[in-house]
């Protein structure tokens, strides 16, 4: 890549970052850290500050596609709900019925000879958001979303409705359920990833396995294209402060 191309790329990156911030319409910081620990330190500082000041911090990995996601007024050939409509729709969702339907759909993708359940075993648990590893030395946004209902951030960044990824209002409803049960806070988003910081993770094998089945239904790819079995996923959840979801 020539010097000119690098300069043009940086200029384009700066432009869509500024546009993302403008579309969000809330206070945002743009940071560029050299290591994972520094990013996590920034996040945790914002999380504690937000609890006092009534906002929820959200790490956003910027891209041109992310700009399309947050721009609900963009003419893309289909209509997008605004955040108020998404939140309103989420309140009419029966979360347990939704999770059962999503699990049934995920199970339908399983091959007959696959053992999707597997054996439980403790797995290495990350202490940081995995997506950060890909953006070290690159600019990221920490948005101070003005709500003390963390689950509502999914309405501010309405990715979803593609590749078995639940609709934004379904995400809001499920995130609320997990927040109330586990203190799970949506903390990082890309165009196809959600990561959580979890304040009250499951502490037993039974709790972890029940949660793993819910997460498999919500995001089949983390098992089918990830850890391989539901109980392997459960082994990553027990006492874990980080959850990861990715839709291919």
């Amino acid at each position: 890549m020539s010097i000119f191309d690098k300069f043009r790329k940086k200029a384009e990156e700066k432009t869509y970052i500024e546009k993302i911030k403008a579309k969000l319409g809330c206070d945002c910081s743009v940071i560029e850290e050299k290591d994972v620990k520094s990013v996590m330190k920034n996040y945790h500082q914002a999380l504690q500050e937000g609890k006092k000041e009534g906002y929820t911090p959200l790490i956003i990995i910027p891209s041109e596609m992310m700009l399309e996601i947050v721009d609900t007024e963009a003419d893309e050939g289909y209509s997008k709900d605004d955040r108020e409509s998404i939140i309103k729709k989420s309140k009419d969702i029966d979360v347990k019925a939704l999770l059962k339907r999503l699990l049934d759909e995920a199970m339908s993708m399983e091959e007959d000879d696959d053992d999707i359940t597997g054996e439980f075993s403790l797995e290495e648990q990350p202490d940081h958001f995995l997506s950060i590893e890909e953006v070290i030395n690159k600019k990221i946004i920490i948005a101070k979303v003005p709500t003390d209902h963390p689950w509502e951030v999914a309405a501010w960044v309405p990715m979803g409705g593609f590749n078995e990824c639940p609709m934004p209002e379904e995400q809001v409803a499920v995130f609320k359920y997990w927040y109330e049960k586990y203190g799970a806070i949506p903390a990082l988003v890309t165009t196809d990833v959600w990561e959580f910081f979890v304040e009250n993770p499951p502490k037993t094998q039974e709790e972890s396995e029940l949660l793993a089945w819910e997460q498999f239904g919500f995001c089949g790819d983390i098992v089918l294209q990830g850890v391989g079995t539901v109980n392997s996923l459960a082994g990553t959840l027990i006492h874990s402060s980080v959850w990861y979801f990715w839709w291919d």
Side-chain angles (χ1 to χ4, degrees):
M1 183 181 293
S2 69
I3 294 176
F4 175 76
D5 288 336
K6 289 180 180 179
F7 177 80
R8 184 177 61 184
K9 186 175 181 180
K10 283 186 174 293
E12 291 173 348
E13 178 186 45
K14 182 178 179 180
T15 298
Y16 61 68
I17 286 175
E18 291 304 315
K19 288 182 178 179
I20 290 171
K21 289 168 58 181
K23 289 298 178 182
L24 288 171
C26 64
D27 188 15
C28 296
S29 300
V30 178
I31 64 172
E32 183 177 346
E33 297 290 0
K34 298 186 181 300
D35 58 76
V36 168
K37 288 184 178 179
S38 297
V39 179
M40 293 304 296
K41 181 179 179 181
N42 269 292
Y43 172 76
H44 286 296
Q45 286 177 341
L47 183 63
Q48 294 308 311
E49 181 183 274
K51 290 180 178 180
K52 297 175 183 177
E53 299 185 8
Y55 72 82
T56 299
L58 179 63
I59 298 173
I60 300 174
I61 308 301
S63 65
E64 290 184 78
M65 187 176 293
M66 179 57 72
L67 175 57
E68 294 178 6
I69 288 171
V70 299
D71 186 0
T72 57
E73 298 176 350
D75 182 9
E76 298 170 357
Y78 61 93
S79 61
K80 286 185 181 179
D81 288 327
D82 58 32
R83 61 184 66 126
E84 291 80 10
S85 298
I86 292 170
I87 293 169
K88 183 178 180 180
K89 284 184 176 181
S90 74
K91 294 178 180 178
D92 294 327
I93 293 174
D94 182 330
V95 175
K96 290 188 177 180
L98 169 64
L99 288 172
K100 182 181 184 306
R101 175 176 64 79
L102 293 175
L103 178 57
D104 288 343
E105 291 173 358
M107 290 295 291
S108 70
M109 295 185 288
E110 179 193 2
E111 299 292 337
D112 291 339
D113 56 348
D114 284 347
D115 176 15
I116 202 66
T117 301
E119 296 293 329
F120 181 87
S121 62
L122 290 176
E123 304 289 341
E124 183 177 356
Q125 299 164 343
D127 60 359
H128 62 273
F129 305 131
L130 301 182
S131 302
I132 292 175
E133 298 173 3
E134 302 174 10
V135 292
I136 292 302
N137 294 319
K138 297 181 181 179
K139 290 182 171 64
I140 62 175
I141 298 169
I142 300 184
K144 297 180 179 181
V145 181
T147 179
D148 56 3
H149 295 161
W151 56 90
E152 292 182 354
V153 301
W156 286 69
V157 184
M159 56 84 86
F162 64 93
N163 293 351
E164 285 77 46
C165 181
M167 295 295 292
E169 61 269 20
E170 295 174 330
Q171 294 179 23
V172 172
V174 174
F175 292 1
K176 181 176 187 289
Y177 167 72
W178 282 337
Y179 176 78
E180 292 174 343
K181 195 170 183 180
Y182 301 104
I185 300 169
L188 180 149
V189 65
T190 77
T191 57
D192 57 6
V193 167
W194 274 108
E195 298 197 51
F196 286 68
F197 175 68
V198 187
E199 297 184 317
N200 184 31
K203 298 176 177 60
T204 67
Q205 177 178 338
E206 182 181 7
E207 289 178 312
S208 299
E209 289 178 352
L210 288 172
L211 174 61
W213 282 106
E214 290 180 348
Q215 292 197 0
F216 171 53
F218 183 73
C219 180
D221 283 343
I222 58 175
V223 171
L224 299 175
Q225 298 191 57
V227 295
T229 68
V230 174
N231 280 344
S232 291
L233 175 61
T236 71
L237 298 175
I238 188 167
H239 300 296
S240 178
S241 63
V242 176
W243 294 351
Y244 176 88
F245 300 96
W246 164 71
W247 292 268
D248 183 15

